[in-house]
Amino acid sequence: MHTLIIPPQIFKEMIAHCREGYPKEACGILAGKGNMISRIYKMVNIEDSTVSYMLDPQRQFEVMKEMRKNNMEMVAIFHSHSSSAAYPSAKDVSLAFYEGSAYIIVSLAEKEPVAKAFSIREGEVKEIKIIEPNNLSNYPKSTLSSLK
């Protein structure tokens, strides 16, 4: 996956969820198909921490069942960094168990939030471009089909 397509409303909800959790780390799951996000699941950070997060396992299990039932997959996991950059920490990298999913980090360290997406596989971190659908008109159809 080289890009993620996130509808503006879902992107705004993700940022709002992260801001609501501040100064603690907030987290959630973005579901859809391929690289297209169609649903946000705002999760509870059961670590209740300013420097780490953990999804509630029971709620995560329920969300995974609902996604399967609706023919969706976990496209990305997001969480916030209250006082550091939008880049995976060493702990984030070591706990990146879902290699098929992207990891989005929303930094709240500056006045305006910064969100970046990453592929994390076997300890290697690569940035993934985030595209909002209302910007898709700038891309030729041949490019769009190769964005996955």
Side-chain angles (χ1 to χ4, degrees), residues 26-38:
C27 55
I29 293 173
L30 298 178
K33 289 290 256 177
N35 66 337
M36 176 70 81
I37 306 296
S38 57

Side-chain angles (χ1 to χ4, degrees), residues 1-5 34-36 128-129 131 136 139-148:
M1 181 184 320
H2 301 298
T3 59
L4 273 180
I5 301 172
N35 66 337
M36 176 70 81
I128 299 170
K129 185 176 176 90
I131 298 174
L136 291 179
Y139 292 87
K141 280 191 173 191
S142 60
T143 303
L144 291 177
S145 64
S146 68
L147 288 178
K148 295 185 180 193

Side-chain angles (χ1 to χ4, degrees), residues 8-20:
Q9 185 55 41
I10 291 176
F11 190 86
K12 288 175 191 169
E13 286 183 54
M14 178 179 70
I15 298 296
H17 180 62
C18 291
R19 282 181 160 157
E20 288 163 7

Side-chain angles (χ1 to χ4, degrees), residues 26-86:
C27 55
I29 293 173
L30 298 178
K33 289 290 256 177
N35 66 337
M36 176 70 81
I37 306 296
S38 57
R39 173 87 195 264
I40 183 171
Y41 293 93
K42 300 172 193 171
M43 305 292 282
V44 172
N45 176 0
I46 62 170
E47 288 195 355
D48 195 34
S49 168
T50 60
V51 295
S52 64
Y53 78 98
M54 180 177 284
L55 304 175
D56 177 341
Q58 179 61 40
R59 178 69 181 129
Q60 184 178 1
F61 179 72
E62 293 165 2
V63 165
M64 300 292 248
K65 281 176 48 178
E66 183 177 322
M67 285 188 296
R68 263 193 297 271
K69 179 180 156 199
N70 293 309
N71 200 26
M72 293 188 295
E73 54 201 41
M74 184 169 65
V75 178
I77 297 171
F78 72 88
H79 75 280
S80 60
H81 281 181
S82 303
S83 59
S84 60

